[in-house]
Amino acid sequence: MTIIIISFVLGFISTKIFIGFFKGMLTQAGIVRQNYMGIMIPVGMGLVFLPYIIMNACIADYFHDEKVVPYYILGVIAMSLAGVVDDLVGDRSSSGFKGHFKALFKGTLTTGAFKALFGGAVAFLISLSFTKEIFEIILNTLLIALATNFFNLLDLRPGRALKIYTVSCIPVLIFSSEVSRLLLGGMLSSALAYFWDDIKARTMMGDSGSNVLGASIGIIAAYEFGIWTKIAILAALILVHAVSEKYSITKIIESNRLLNYIDKLGR
């Protein structure tokens, strides 16, 4: 437990230090995008999570010689880099799985289709490390892939994805092993360190950040939970994705007084 606390504190402090450097790097490189208020701000700030993710994986690997550690770090970094592609050259002319794959079938590879295909392949590779049972491989693959994309769907307003991530991490941390608590706890500390910049719309973490949130919690859930718990989580993720194909998540939140209050809290 002591090493988990130390890791959490280190993650928060180090990420706070990294934020200024990454913000300056992205601004100087002209990697900016108009946010929902029409203000140009740095995008791709999710890269700020990567330094401590690697540092924390080193700590986890030193204290816990478990197979999940290298696959966790592989999955999170790979998903983040897939998000970088969308942050840099993303085309917003297509949206949703339906839109991206419709374009693909017409011979056009969108960044969204690339993320889905690449993310699915990464999720499949990680699933193979947990089990050789066909059903569970498929289950883990879908859970990791959809969890990753779930936070993409949420990251349309400042602080929204990070609020849901923080709440979602709590039960996963409670019911996980020590190595998973160390890995996910370190990621959570980085997310909390970045939270203020995000909710005040000073920067956008972009897909390079939201992918990290989803992949980190998806991989740990796939590794730690039993079949029925994973089926329940996957069913919820499928439902959210199905709804998002027809309706705006933002409009659904804004139409509910309580959800809208929570969503705007802190902005």
Side-chain angles (χ1 to χ4, degrees), residues 40-119:
M40 300 299 290
I41 59 176
V43 65
M45 275 295 291
L47 290 171
V48 77
F49 298 142
L50 297 187
Y52 191 68
I53 285 173
I54 296 173
M55 291 166 57
N56 194 44
C58 292
I59 296 171
D61 204 34
Y62 181 83
F63 287 97
H64 301 277
D65 185 19
E66 293 194 31
K67 197 174 183 179
V68 67
V69 178
Y71 281 98
Y72 172 87
I73 193 71
L74 167 66
V76 171
I77 291 178
M79 294 296 195
S80 180
L81 294 181
V84 170
V85 174
D86 200 57
D87 291 338
L88 293 178
V89 296
D91 181 2
R92 299 299 182 263
S93 61
S94 299
S95 62
F97 283 126
K98 184 178 179 181
H100 290 302
F101 282 99
K102 186 177 180 180
L104 182 61
F105 291 141
K106 290 181 178 180
T108 300
L109 177 65
T110 65
T111 53
F114 168 76
K115 281 193 307 177
L117 294 171
F118 179 80

Side-chain angles (χ1 to χ4, degrees), residues 76 82 103 113 170 174 187 220:
V76 171
I170 295 172
I174 291 173
M187 179 56 229
I220 296 302

